[in-house]
Each structure stands twice: as structure tokens, then as C-alpha cells.
Amino acid sequence: MKWCALHFICVIGVIVLNLRDIIVRPVCPSEEQSFQERMQAYHYLGALPKIGETLWYVASWRDEWVALLTFSAAAWKCSVRERWIGWDFRHQYDRLHLLTNNSHFLIIPQYHIPNLASRILSLCQKRLCTDWQERFGHPVVLLETFVDPKRFRGTVYKASNWIYVGQT
């Protein structure tokens, strides 16, 4: 007698998504409170108010928020950045508005999926210059970020072709 059985598998808690279905867009004013609540709940630095030139982005998949990003005014002083750009003290402050800082990048915990972060960062980079020009009336020519080496290695930025310029 040959034994036969129906084999069933139940996968729990795994999300399968197509990275091409990810949409990145600025946060609407009506969504700002929800954005702040999620940043406060999930980002290790918590939520930050909008200070100066700041754009908030949401990445979504099938209308579900999968990630949140903040781009804000660049750090006032950063010696490794100034050295890399080649700015002297005289030019530094006149051109600082041409830079923006990716000050927060949060993947919502249940969406930690391979390649998602670099896909989202790439989509943001593609639209950021236009959004910044429309909102603030001037271009952005350089993005910067700071990564806490005690918590992260900067892998998503390396995968997205960002250049490591030094330690602050």
C-alpha cells in the first residue's frame, strides 16, 4: 500500500511585494499627524517638527505606508563635507541652501524586506529636486546624511551609490 498525503504549508507574517509597485510622494498636510506619530513610535530618534526647509515623504505599497523619509536643511557646519566639496569659509554659507539632509529614514517594522530601502531612496532622489524647487523656489544639488555607526553601517546609502566622505 502506497501512502499519500496532501501537503500544506502556511507562511505567517511574510509580506511579498513587487518593488515596482512602491510609490513615493510628499506627505499631505492632512497626513502630517499620522507621519509624526509613526516616526515617534518607530524611529530611534523619534519625531521632529518641520524647521526651516523640510519635506516629508511617504513610501507606500497598495495604499499602505511602508516607509517615511525626512529631508531638511543641511547641517550648518560639517568639516568633512566642506573639505569634500572644496568650499572655503566664504562660499560655505552662500551655498548651503543648495544641500539637503536626509535626516530621517524609517522603514515600518513589518516591511523590512530586501532591497526595499534602496528602491525607496532611489525613488526619492528622482523626485526630490523637482519637489524642492516647487516648494522652496531653489534647486538642490547635493544630498547628505549622517549614519550612527553604533546602530547602522550605511548599507542602503552605499547600495544607492552615495559617497562616504568621512566621519564627523
Side-chain angles (χ1 to χ4, degrees):
M1 177 193 246
K2 192 171 180 183
W3 189 77
C4 173
L6 298 176
H7 187 184
F8 293 92
I9 296 175
C10 178
V11 178
I12 299 173
V14 175
I15 299 170
V16 179
L17 59 83
N18 185 337
L19 294 178
R20 291 186 179 138
D21 295 337
I22 300 296
I23 296 169
V24 172
R25 62 170 176 77
V27 172
C28 300
S30 63
E31 299 170 319
E32 288 184 358
Q33 182 176 348
S34 182
F35 180 93
Q36 287 288 68
E37 289 168 357
R38 292 178 196 200
M39 276 292 187
Q40 187 63 41
Y42 299 121
H43 198 282
Y44 76 101
L45 294 174
L48 292 175
K50 283 185 177 178
I51 300 173
E53 295 179 335
T54 301
L55 284 177
W56 289 345
Y57 285 91
V58 59
S60 60
W61 173 70
R62 296 185 178 168
D63 296 325
E64 286 196 45
W65 288 14
V66 298
L68 309 174
L69 298 95
T70 300
F71 289 89
S72 50
W76 189 246
K77 287 185 174 187
C78 181
S79 60
V80 295
R81 177 191 65 210
E82 273 94 49
R83 217 174 11 260
W84 184 82
I85 294 173
W87 279 350
D88 59 24
F89 182 77
R90 191 180 83 214
H91 293 109
Q92 176 180 334
Y93 298 107
D94 292 340
R95 298 177 182 167
L96 196 57
H97 70 284
L98 300 174
L99 282 62
T100 186
N101 180 5
N102 176 213
S103 50
H104 278 67
F105 189 177
L106 167 70
I107 302 292
I108 304 296
Q110 63 265 32
Y111 290 100
H112 281 259
I113 296 166
N115 305 313
L116 179 64
S118 58
R119 172 70 174 164
I120 290 168
L121 193 56
S122 172
L123 291 170
C124 258
Q125 287 172 218
K126 287 178 183 173
R127 67 170 301 148
L128 182 66
C129 292
T130 302
D131 292 340
W132 201 272
Q133 180 74 43
E134 287 176 6
R135 176 70 66 85
F136 302 115
H138 64 84
V140 169
V141 297
L142 190 72
L143 306 177
E144 71 178 356
T145 196
F146 298 90
V147 175
D148 181 352
K150 292 178 184 167
R151 293 179 166 270
F152 307 104
R153 291 177 289 187
T155 305
V156 66
Y157 297 100
K158 292 173 189 173
S160 299
N161 294 318
W162 288 47
I163 301 166
Y164 172 75
V165 295
Q167 196 164 346
T168 59

